[in-house]
Amino acid sequence: MDDAARPRTGWTFLTNHARVLATIARDPAVRVRDIAAQCMLTERAVQKIISELESDGYLSHTRVGRTNIYEIPTGTSLRHPADAGPTVEALLSLFSLDSAAQPRTENAAAS
């Protein structure tokens, strides 16, 4: 088992809300079941987090058939007063998770 897959106890750098949002940023059509597996959470916990993110304006969804397509609004600020200034989009870009942070195909080919 590699070090990244080994569960650790104690504190972590990211909250479960950040993990769920980052997973959705990677794939806006991701299923709750898959979010739960990737974030090592229960489906019920993921549903609650998604509900909280939506009620606070950090996430919205559109139903397409049996699939939810999520959208992370641009320009939303981080919640904590100590984090004033950066947006959620800027946070996700640190992890190369938003579309603005993804390298362009022609730039990648030129490198």
Side-chain angles (χ1 to χ4, degrees), residues 32-45:
V32 168
R33 172 180 294 158
D34 297 329
I35 296 170
Q38 290 177 34
C39 295
M40 297 185 194
L41 299 168
T42 64
E43 289 182 42
R44 187 175 185 106

Side-chain angles (χ1 to χ4, degrees), residues 88-105:
V88 170
E89 187 176 24
L91 174 67
L92 293 174
S93 72
L94 292 174
F95 301 103
S96 298
L97 299 175
D98 71 340
S99 57
Q102 296 297 326
R104 289 175 138 125
T105 308

Side-chain angles (χ1 to χ4, degrees), residues 41-62:
L41 299 168
T42 64
E43 289 182 42
R44 187 175 185 106
V46 170
Q47 289 169 336
K48 182 175 188 250
I49 289 169
I50 287 173
S51 175
E52 291 171 349
L53 289 169
E54 285 186 313
S55 69
D56 287 345
Y58 291 93
L59 187 66
S60 63
H61 77 275
T62 305

Side-chain angles (χ1 to χ4, degrees), residues 15-88:
T15 65
N16 289 338
H17 285 67
R19 285 187 192 94
V20 168
L21 201 58
T23 302
I24 290 170
R26 285 186 196 103
D27 179 7
V30 66
R31 299 180 308 168
V32 168
R33 172 180 294 158
D34 297 329
I35 296 170
Q38 290 177 34
C39 295
M40 297 185 194
L41 299 168
T42 64
E43 289 182 42
R44 187 175 185 106
V46 170
Q47 289 169 336
K48 182 175 188 250
I49 289 169
I50 287 173
S51 175
E52 291 171 349
L53 289 169
E54 285 186 313
S55 69
D56 287 345
Y58 291 93
L59 187 66
S60 63
H61 77 275
T62 305
R63 192 95 170 143
V64 178
R66 295 175 52 189
T67 304
N68 284 326
I69 306 298
Y70 297 99
E71 183 177 345
I72 301 168
T74 58
T76 51
S77 298
L78 299 176
R79 284 180 54 115
H80 197 279
D83 301 327
T87 63
V88 170

